[in-house]
Amino acid sequence: MSLVTLLPFIVLIGAMFLMTRSAKKKQQQAASMRNDMQPGSGVRTIGGMYATVKEVNEDTVLLDAGPGIDLLFAKNAIGAVLTDDEYNRIVHGIEHDLKSDSDVVPDDASSLSDTETDESADEAAAASDEKSVDLGKKDTAEEPADDAPAKADAESGAAEAKSDDEPKKTDGDSDAK
C-alpha cells in the first residue's frame, strides 16, 4: 500500500486520539473539582439546583438546599463548585462591593472631561432634541405622466386578450389527454 492510501486512516486515528485525550482531561478536572469539595462551599447540581455542601462522603454529598431541607446527591451529580462571591450573587442576590475595586470605568465619557459643564450639556441635549430627524418612510407618490395611463391600458388589454385565448381551467381539468 502506498502512503497516499494510508494517509486518511492515519489522520482519522490521530483525530480520535486527540478527542479522547481532551475528554479525559475534562473528566479528570471534574473529578478533582468534586474531590476538592468541602462543607460550606456552594455548588450547582447538574439539574441546576444551587445548594451548600453540608457533608462530603466517599460517593455521596449531603446538600443543604434551604432551612431544614437536606438532600443526598451522588458526587457525579455535582456540576460545579462555585466561589463564595458567585454563590452569593446567584442565590442571595448579593452583588460584590464595587467600591472596593479600583478604577471603575464610568458609563459615559462626560465625567472624564472637565471642560464641559452641566449647563452646556443640558443645552446640547435640548439642541439635539430640536433637530430630531424623522426616519419613517414617507409616501411620495409620483404624479403619472400623460402617457402613463395609455401604457397601463395597453398592458391590461394585452393581458385580457391573452387570457381570452386560453380556455379557463377548473379544479379537475388538466392539460394531459
Side-chain angles (χ1 to χ4, degrees):
M1 287 191 166
S2 68
L3 183 63
V4 176
T5 57
L6 290 176
L7 188 61
F9 294 112
I10 294 170
V11 170
L12 183 64
I13 291 171
M16 289 173 48
F17 173 74
L18 290 175
M19 284 190 280
T20 57
R21 184 173 172 218
S22 66
K24 282 183 183 179
K25 270 188 174 181
K26 287 181 183 179
Q27 286 176 350
Q28 287 175 351
Q29 286 177 347
S32 67
M33 179 243 348
R34 289 181 186 118
N35 290 332
D36 291 343
M37 278 188 298
Q38 297 176 356
S41 60
V43 295
R44 183 184 67 235
T45 64
I46 59 174
M49 186 183 72
Y50 293 92
T52 306
V53 176
K54 193 171 187 180
E55 183 181 316
V56 179
N57 298 323
E58 189 171 327
D59 293 331
T60 60
V61 178
L62 185 64
L63 300 178
D64 181 22
I69 302 172
D70 294 336
L71 304 169
L72 187 64
F73 275 84
K75 269 190 178 181
N76 292 340
I78 303 300
V81 177
L82 308 172
T83 63
D84 290 338
D85 289 337
E86 186 178 15
Y87 182 77
N88 288 332
R89 180 181 58 82
I90 293 170
V91 175
H92 302 295
I94 300 171
E95 291 292 327
H96 182 65
D97 187 17
L98 294 176
K99 294 179 181 177
S100 64
D101 292 345
S102 62
D103 299 332
V104 175
V105 178
D107 289 339
D108 59 347
S110 64
S111 64
L112 299 176
S113 64
D114 294 332
T115 58
E116 190 173 355
T117 63
D118 291 337
E119 293 173 7
S120 61
D122 292 338
E123 291 172 6
S128 67
D129 289 341
E130 292 172 5
K131 299 177 186 176
S132 63
V133 177
D134 184 22
L135 298 177
K137 186 174 181 181
K138 295 182 181 179
D139 294 331
T140 55
E142 296 180 18
E143 294 195 22
D146 292 338
D147 60 339
K151 286 182 183 178
D153 289 339
E155 289 175 5
S156 64
E160 288 174 9
K162 189 176 188 181
S163 65
D164 289 340
D165 294 341
E166 298 174 7
K168 299 202 185 264
K169 296 181 184 176
T170 60
D171 289 338
D173 293 343
S174 66
D175 288 337
K177 291 185 180 182

